[in-house]
Amino acid sequence: MTERHPQPRHVLLTGATGSLGSRVCVRLLDHATLVHCLVRGRDQQEATARLQHRLHDDHLTDIKHQGRLHAVPADITRPLLGLTPRSYDALAQTVGVIVHCAATVNLAAGYDPLAPVNVHGTRAVIAFAEHAAALTGRRPRLCAVSTLGTLIAARSAGHPVVDENTPATAETAGPLGYPRSKAAAEGELRAAAARGASITLLRPGIITGDPRTDATPFGSDLLAPLLRAAVALRAAPDTPAGLPLDTADAVSRATAVLALHPESAGRTFHLVRRRPFMLQALFAAARRAGHRLEPLPADRWWQRLDTRTDHPDVKEMIMLEGVYRRTFTHDADHGHLAPDVRADATSTFLEQAGIQSAALDDDYLDRLVPHLTAGAAR
């Protein structure tokens, strides 16, 4: 599987101005001739400026990429992606691979405000892929980024262990709006695959930054609210819990490789490490950085959290309580925990494709902790 495959000349990317999408954009440019990025904007000039501004802010600009990025003013929530019929057809006849990263990520929001982008937007991207197939006679590959959050309630739904073959449903997603919206999007993708579409589905877990490769923290890093709350409380939950996780650099590299690899079609991949990331390793690194963190049983830690609801960093954690209660909680609530996540098939595929993840060792964690606590309230 390591032999060279002809790479597509033109790739269409949604979500290029997002935390993950901007990194995927740059990784795609390592392989494709031109990347067309759908970007909200009134015109070409505004869309281009937004894209360039995001890449510059993330320190992702590179002279070798100049001239190979094309910002397309568009809106995936509007008919024809917000394009004119002529532009829609021209783009459909050009691209060979579609990478769908666009999403509204808000773990505190309900389903309805998230559905326009996460569900209807996915439906619109599928319609574009099917239109391209009808126009050209060839099916573009569609690589869609979902989330392992679609399986967060799988244990409660009777699946204590999940892998790449576990389908996401409303039951496995649970009551939170964001996982529900992404599970609905996965349902749209499964329906498209049944109609003959070439679909690759990616489920990242928690994505954290990598100070060795990222100059700025990853925008939606879920480790940050937890660590900031622990620092504010001067206590950390004494739990053996681990998280399905990988770095933004690893996830973006894997996304680009899988999107462009012909053998990924028809498969689902879990973009996390083979083994979960243990929370105690994070808290140990915080202690090495000088933070006093008293170890508390999980139930007592949550109780202390409830006494400090006035603290800004505690408020942020409370907004994510529905997620983290499924990570570490009282033993009596074990059935409420998230399932054990398997990613063996994904790891094997990526290793055979020459993708290796860097170690999350003490040196990495000692660099990560200042990233995660940057901007914390004092």
Side-chain angles (χ1 to χ4, degrees):
M1 192 165 59
T2 57
E3 71 266 19
R4 300 287 296 175
H5 293 280
Q7 298 293 1
R9 290 176 54 82
H10 295 266
V11 175
L12 177 66
L13 173 65
T14 72
T17 56
S19 296
L20 178 61
S22 61
R23 290 164 170 83
V24 170
C25 177
V26 173
R27 291 297 182 181
L28 288 169
L29 285 166
D30 291 336
H31 306 280
T33 301
L34 192 106
V35 177
H36 305 263
C37 300
L38 300 187
V39 179
R40 287 179 185 256
R42 290 168 295 183
D43 52 31
Q44 179 77 50
Q45 183 177 5
E46 183 177 323
T48 299
R50 282 197 65 214
L51 178 60
Q52 291 180 342
H53 182 73
R54 180 56 195 248
L55 295 178
H56 182 268
D57 278 358
D58 287 344
H59 301 269
L60 297 171
T61 52
D62 194 318
I63 189 68
K64 70 180 181 181
H65 297 149
Q66 289 187 2
R68 297 198 293 116
L69 266 179
H70 180 216
V72 180
D75 184 343
I76 65 171
T77 67
R78 295 176 57 196
L80 302 183
L81 305 177
L83 305 176
T84 65
R86 183 175 180 179
S87 296
Y88 189 77
D89 286 351
L91 192 60
Q93 291 172 328
T94 300
V95 300
V97 171
I98 303 162
V99 184
H100 180 39
C101 286
T104 301
V105 182
N106 186 336
L107 293 174
Y111 178 89
D112 289 342
L114 303 175
V117 171
N118 296 354
V119 183
H120 308 314
T122 297
R123 194 179 297 151
V125 172
I126 291 169
F128 174 82
E130 293 178 332
H131 183 67
L135 277 181
T136 65
R138 54 173 175 76
R139 297 186 185 277
R141 298 201 301 276
L142 170 55
C143 179
V145 178
S146 182
T147 171
L148 273 171
T150 59
L151 304 177
I152 194 171
R155 187 184 297 273
S156 303
H159 304 282
V161 179
V162 297
D163 63 16
E164 294 91 341
N165 295 316
T166 306
T169 65
E171 290 72 28
T172 66
L176 297 178
Y178 179 66
R180 284 178 55 213
S181 71
K182 296 298 279 185
E186 287 198 26
E188 297 286 343
L189 292 161
R190 285 196 301 273
R195 296 193 297 267
S198 177
I199 305 290
T200 300
L201 180 65
L202 309 183
R203 291 177 182 148
I206 290 177
I207 303 175
T208 191
D210 190 339
R212 294 172 295 200
T213 57
D214 295 330
T216 55
F218 186 72
S220 56
D221 193 331
L222 286 181
L223 293 183
L226 172 61
L227 186 58
R228 290 174 184 174
V231 170
L233 299 175
R234 295 191 176 185
D238 187 9
T239 171
L243 298 172
L245 171 148
D246 213 335
T247 67
D249 181 64
V251 172
S252 60
R253 283 189 296 123
T255 298
V257 167
L258 292 169
L260 301 176
H261 204 302
E263 294 178 27
S264 73
R267 298 182 59 171
T268 297
F269 297 89
H270 287 174
L271 302 188
V272 295
R273 307 222 157 201
R274 279 189 189 267
R275 291 177 174 79
F277 172 74
M278 308 312 293
L279 286 178
Q280 290 309 314
L282 176 67
F283 299 141
R287 292 182 179 105
R288 290 196 298 272
H291 297 289
R292 295 178 56 190
L293 300 181
E294 176 190 358
L296 287 179
D299 56 340
R300 288 181 55 197
W301 190 85
W302 285 111
Q303 290 169 7
R304 182 176 292 192
L305 191 82
D306 290 337
T307 68
R308 295 294 309 278
T309 56
D310 59 327
H311 194 287
D313 293 330
V314 172
K315 288 180 180 179
E316 187 179 14
M317 183 65 191
I318 289 174
M319 290 177 63
L320 299 171
E321 184 173 353
V323 175
Y324 272 109
R325 284 277 187 181
R326 291 190 178 273
T327 301
F328 55 90
T329 190
H330 193 275
D331 289 343
D333 295 329
H334 181 73
H336 184 70
L337 291 175
D340 294 333
V341 175
R342 298 287 185 267
D344 295 334
T346 300
S347 297
T348 298
F349 190 102
L350 291 173
E351 288 164 5
Q352 291 176 350
I355 301 296
Q356 298 284 345
S357 293
L360 302 186
D361 53 18
D362 286 352
D363 176 67
Y364 162 78
L365 292 174
D366 290 342
R367 294 170 182 262
L368 181 65
V369 164
H371 256 43
L372 297 179
T373 55
R378 301 298 180 190

